Amino acid sequence: MTSATTRPTNESPSKAAAVDEGERERLDTAVADLQAGATTWAALTLAQRVTLLRAVRTNVAAAAEDWAVTAAASKGLDARHPLRGEEWLSGPYAVLGYLDASIETLSRLASGRNPLDGVRIDRAPGGRTRVHAFPLTGIDRFLLSGFTGEVWLEPGITPNAARAAAGLAQRTPTASGGVGLVLGAGNVTAIPVLDVLYELLAHNRTALLKVNPTQDALVPVFKRALAPLIGPGFLRIVRGGPAVGAYLTGHRDLVHVHITGSAATFDAIVWGTGASGARRRRESRPQLKKPITAELGGVSPIIVVPGRWTDADLAYQAEHVATMRLQNGGHNCIAGQVVILSEDWDQADAFRAALRRAYANAPERPIWYPGSTSRMELASDAYPDALVLGDRLLVEIDADDDASALQSTEYFSPVLGVVSVPGTGQDFLDAAVAYANDELQGTLGANLLIDPATEKALGAGFERAITALRYGSIAINGWTAFGFLTPTLSWGAFPGNTIQDVGSGIGVVHNALLLDGVERSIVRGPFRPLPRALPIVNGGGRFTILPTPPWFVSARTGAEVSEGLTRFRANGGVLGLVKTLARALRA
């Protein structure tokens, strides 16, 4: 996620003199507390860890409203803004879901069962094992009907090996992983908390969380929500700018760094800055002397497979694409940025027109993330003929245009591009996959829209094309943000990146089933919403009870439904859920 996460400017940890003596003492004390906490964590039984996570869940539920309201206000969304529901779903809802899934995983391990007991496992193309990781509960099957999720493991890992490794560090709970540093994201409020939890559960590491300055207002909320982890020394939360980050990345008692941010920030941490940093990189002499994992974003494709679409299909999927770009103001690592159309699709012009309408009609909101305005200006300079639609840009690439800036720059702002490649059917799909793999920067997430009849006609060729997509998260008739919000799916770049060429990052997070050897996760969703999802009019597509999903920027009741779903996740209550579903039907 392109962000302003800490960017060290010193050339070695010893040169972090910008942190004064009092600040160093405060940070050293926090690290020492976490070292003691690591010993305590290693002494806890799995059953005790389950009890602890339940206490965290109680606190997060109690803090949910304050969390969402504070986050919305920090992004310029008042109590009447139609998009304020985003902060419920991408904050407390995501964390509560992760806690529930993690409690289930640890409860199984504590009782001598396997996290994959009762979970369907089969084979995916290329010798891969596929874990059908969503939905696993009745309420998810109902509320999110039509959506499924799979985790594909790296080729060669057998189902038996997958079961044997499931649980990661929780299979050896007494083996301490030491103390890790989490450099928190600045754009989505659940990310720092989810990263801390993954440190504890996947690696048995206590965590020092340095929040991004954009989330300073949420620190009191985080401290209340995570008090059960702070008290025993499993977590410390600190604020600070680049000097604090530089001091901590070089701290000898921190054994690991995890960052959600930009590749430029990653490189500054690993190699240093300026001429000396460039020299270290050439010589493969990193200044960072400890392991690092990262989630760093990229330029995400939206592949639109040509078919025979109705006018309602065109309008709905255009709103879907607009959501992929404009949710959170476009300040998302996983925001769709390049729409790939077929130049031979006879409905391409109709879809372009629908996309212009949907993109222009979405509610306006502040461009709040630091640096995003300058990136908008970069896009305007590169594409002076781009359509200016309110507070956003739509770049339609013609045959004579240079697409390189759009392909290589993660704008992290409301800039959406449209490109065309030749072909229809399998020829188009293969060309679009090759374009995404070879021309677009990064491997974090890819989205693909395809009607049921066309998918059926492609048959095995469709699955071969999906297998060829080199992305860590793939959404078919969905947005990869759904995968981000689904705790039992993994989140991270496609494997293979290194500190020399980090791309979209190294390693995965979330992954509440604690699977080893993850390659990618795949979300499959319904092409049509209710009522067009009914079998009689759906052409063999997936049924769903959802009309316009609440995360769509076009959902008229999205704010109320998102809040209602979070409150239901937090506290239960059938009456509240019924009212929320009634509002959803008016979306």
Side-chain angles (χ1 to χ4, degrees), residues 21-62:
E21 183 176 351
E23 183 80 346
R24 286 199 301 274
E25 183 176 345
R26 180 176 69 89
L27 296 172
D28 290 346
T29 298
V31 174
D33 291 345
L34 290 164
Q35 287 182 304
T39 301
T40 304
W41 176 259
L44 294 183
T45 66
L46 290 174
Q48 289 171 323
R49 294 179 186 188
V50 169
T51 300
L52 179 70
L53 291 180
R54 287 179 174 146
V56 175
R57 191 195 189 285
T58 298
N59 278 36
V60 170

Side-chain angles (χ1 to χ4, degrees), residues 363-527:
E364 292 197 9
R365 58 175 299 157
I367 298 174
W368 63 271
Y369 201 84
S372 290
T373 300
S374 64
R375 285 188 286 273
M376 289 277 288
E377 293 170 354
L378 287 175
S380 296
D381 291 343
Y383 302 103
D385 295 329
L387 291 174
V388 180
L389 302 171
D391 60 348
R392 58 209 65 155
L393 293 181
L394 182 62
V395 181
E396 299 192 54
I397 299 293
D398 295 324
D400 297 331
D401 294 330
D402 181 359
S404 58
L406 185 68
Q407 295 165 344
S408 61
T409 307
E410 184 190 5
Y411 285 113
F412 213 68
S413 58
V415 178
L416 180 67
V418 182
V419 303
S420 295
V421 300
T424 58
Q426 192 70 49
D427 289 341
F428 166 79
L429 184 54
D430 292 342
V433 167
Y435 184 97
N437 284 341
D438 300 337
E439 303 297 335
L440 302 185
Q441 186 275 325
T443 62
L444 183 61
N447 313 277
L448 190 146
L449 305 176
I450 183 169
D451 66 90
T454 302
E455 182 176 348
K456 182 178 180 181
L458 292 176
F462 179 75
E463 290 300 315
R464 286 197 303 270
I466 295 303
T467 305
L469 266 173
R470 297 192 299 270
Y471 286 84
S473 181
I474 298 171
I476 303 162
N477 291 330
W479 177 27
T480 44
F482 187 97
F484 171 88
L485 288 175
T486 303
T488 47
L489 299 182
S490 58
W491 187 251
F494 195 79
N497 295 324
T498 65
I499 61 170
Q500 282 280 7
D501 184 11
V502 70
S504 288
I506 298 169
V508 300
V509 290
H510 303 186
N511 185 30
L513 294 174
L514 298 178
L515 302 173
D516 197 17
V518 168
E519 181 186 68
R520 71 182 86 184
S521 286
I522 297 180
V523 171
R524 301 175 195 259
F527 181 73

Side-chain angles (χ1 to χ4, degrees), residues 2-258:
T2 303
S3 82
T5 306
T6 310
R7 183 186 301 258
T9 56
N10 62 301
E11 295 189 5
S12 69
S14 64
K15 293 186 179 181
V19 177
D20 63 32
E21 183 176 351
E23 183 80 346
R24 286 199 301 274
E25 183 176 345
R26 180 176 69 89
L27 296 172
D28 290 346
T29 298
V31 174
D33 291 345
L34 290 164
Q35 287 182 304
T39 301
T40 304
W41 176 259
L44 294 183
T45 66
L46 290 174
Q48 289 171 323
R49 294 179 186 188
V50 169
T51 300
L52 179 70
L53 291 180
R54 287 179 174 146
V56 175
R57 191 195 189 285
T58 298
N59 278 36
V60 170
E65 181 172 359
D66 195 13
W67 184 328
V69 170
T70 301
S74 72
K75 298 178 181 183
L77 306 178
D78 63 27
R80 297 179 301 279
H81 199 284
L83 299 179
R84 67 188 183 280
E86 293 175 356
E87 299 310 315
W88 287 88
L89 291 182
S90 63
Y93 180 92
V95 173
L96 287 165
Y98 187 79
L99 286 166
D100 286 342
S102 298
I103 288 167
E104 176 63 21
T105 292
L106 265 66
S107 295
R108 291 183 176 208
L109 290 167
S111 63
R113 295 177 292 155
N114 191 285
L116 296 180
D117 284 352
V119 177
R120 184 160 66 96
I121 303 174
D122 59 15
R123 289 294 199 171
R128 294 169 172 85
T129 289
R130 171 170 48 196
V131 178
H132 293 266
F134 180 86
L136 297 178
T137 67
I139 194 64
D140 282 340
R141 291 186 186 93
F142 173 65
L143 291 178
L144 297 169
S145 56
F147 288 90
T148 58
E150 310 154 13
V151 180
W152 291 19
L153 304 183
E154 293 178 345
I157 297 176
T158 65
N160 284 340
R163 291 186 183 92
L168 296 179
Q170 298 311 300
R171 301 184 68 85
T172 54
T174 60
S176 173
V179 183
L181 171 65
V182 173
L183 298 174
N187 60 333
V188 173
T189 63
I191 293 175
V193 178
L194 295 174
D195 290 348
V196 163
L197 292 170
Y198 199 69
E199 287 288 289
L200 275 173
L201 300 179
H203 305 294
N204 275 338
R205 281 196 289 264
T206 56
L208 178 60
L209 168 62
K210 195 201 84 66
V211 297
N212 188 287
T214 62
Q215 295 197 8
D216 277 352
L218 276 161
V219 169
V221 179
F222 288 162
K223 287 184 175 180
R224 292 200 305 276
L226 303 175
L229 299 179
I230 294 171
F234 304 148
L235 170 66
R236 289 291 181 267
I237 302 174
V238 298
R239 297 179 173 94
V244 171
Y247 180 74
L248 291 174
T249 56
H251 202 291
R252 65 182 182 182
D253 293 328
L254 294 173
V255 302
H256 181 271
V257 176
H258 178 78

